[in-house]
Every structure is written in C-alpha cells, then in structure tokens.
Amino acid sequence: MSNAVNIQTLETFSQAWNDHDIEALMSFMHDDCVFETVAGDQVCGNRIEGRDAVRKAFQAAWENIPDAQWRNGKHWISGDRGVSETTFTGTQKDGTRIEANMVDLFTFKDGKILVKNAFRKNRPAIAAGK
C-alpha cells in the first residue's frame, strides 16, 4: 500500500469486512490504530486502542452477528480524512435482524487507517421472521 489512501483503499477495506477477513482488515490499520464503536459507555461509544485490541473488537462483530454485511458502499476522501457510507445488515444471536444506515469516519496516517469512528442509526431490531 502506498502512502496515499484512495477510494480503492476504502472499497477494498469495506470488502474485507464483508468477507469477514481479519488479516485483510488489519493490513489497512496503522500500528497505533483506534476504533471508536457505535455504542458504549463513553461519549465516543467505546474507544478501542492498539492493534491487538482493535483486532479483537473487529472479530467480535462477526461473532455477535455471523452474517454481518456492509452494503451499498459510498466512499470519499479529503486530505487525511475519509468517509464510508453503508447499510449494515445482519442477524443477531437471538434471531432479530439489524438493517440500518451507518457511516465510518476515518483518519489516515502514513497510508493506513489510524482511527475508524463508527456511527449507525439507532433503529430497533427487526423481529425474526419479518
């Protein structure tokens, strides 16, 4: 990967999420990476810091929602910042489904993702079978 992050970078990163490919995902992350989650006790959700902790948090998304997908991706970049808009879909372990628009805000450093800050619409889960 070059030092310049481009739209293709975000498209490939997004595909790695849909492929549930942790090695590919982590190849895009800076050594000092941070992941700010969609929910949590802090104003930012939860702030996960460092490669090992971020890897574990990313993997938890697939453990909690095994069919998780980020669809209809639109991506753009301005300087050292970027945005990905998607529709998140997946089935939780209790059988309820999630379908909600979301946005990831990125900060880049040295051609990698330094910060991934995730936001998702707060839509109630859809009952199983609907």
Side-chain angles (χ1 to χ4, degrees), residues 34-37 44 103-106 115-119:
V34 172
F35 173 39
E36 293 182 348
T37 63
C44 65
V103 174
D104 283 317
L105 303 179
F106 299 102
V115 178
K116 178 186 184 298
N117 188 355
F119 297 85

Side-chain angles (χ1 to χ4, degrees), residues 72-85:
N72 308 317
K74 297 177 204 146
H75 314 279
W76 62 94
I77 294 173
S78 179
D80 67 350
R81 302 298 303 266
V83 176
S84 288
E85 277 186 277

Side-chain angles (χ1 to χ4, degrees), residues 17-85:
W17 275 103
N18 289 329
D19 293 342
H20 297 203
D21 185 343
I22 193 64
E23 296 305 324
L25 278 182
M26 294 310 296
S27 74
F28 291 95
M29 302 303 293
H30 192 276
D31 285 343
D32 299 324
C33 59
V34 172
F35 173 39
E36 293 182 348
T37 63
V38 297
D41 297 336
Q42 302 170 23
V43 70
C44 65
N46 284 327
R47 185 176 173 89
I48 314 296
E49 298 183 69
R51 290 188 66 80
D52 292 339
V54 168
R55 173 188 286 270
K56 186 175 179 179
F58 285 179
Q59 287 177 303
W62 304 316
E63 292 165 8
N64 295 325
I65 305 174
D67 62 348
Q69 292 290 292
W70 293 260
R71 303 178 188 281
N72 308 317
K74 297 177 204 146
H75 314 279
W76 62 94
I77 294 173
S78 179
D80 67 350
R81 302 298 303 266
V83 176
S84 288
E85 277 186 277

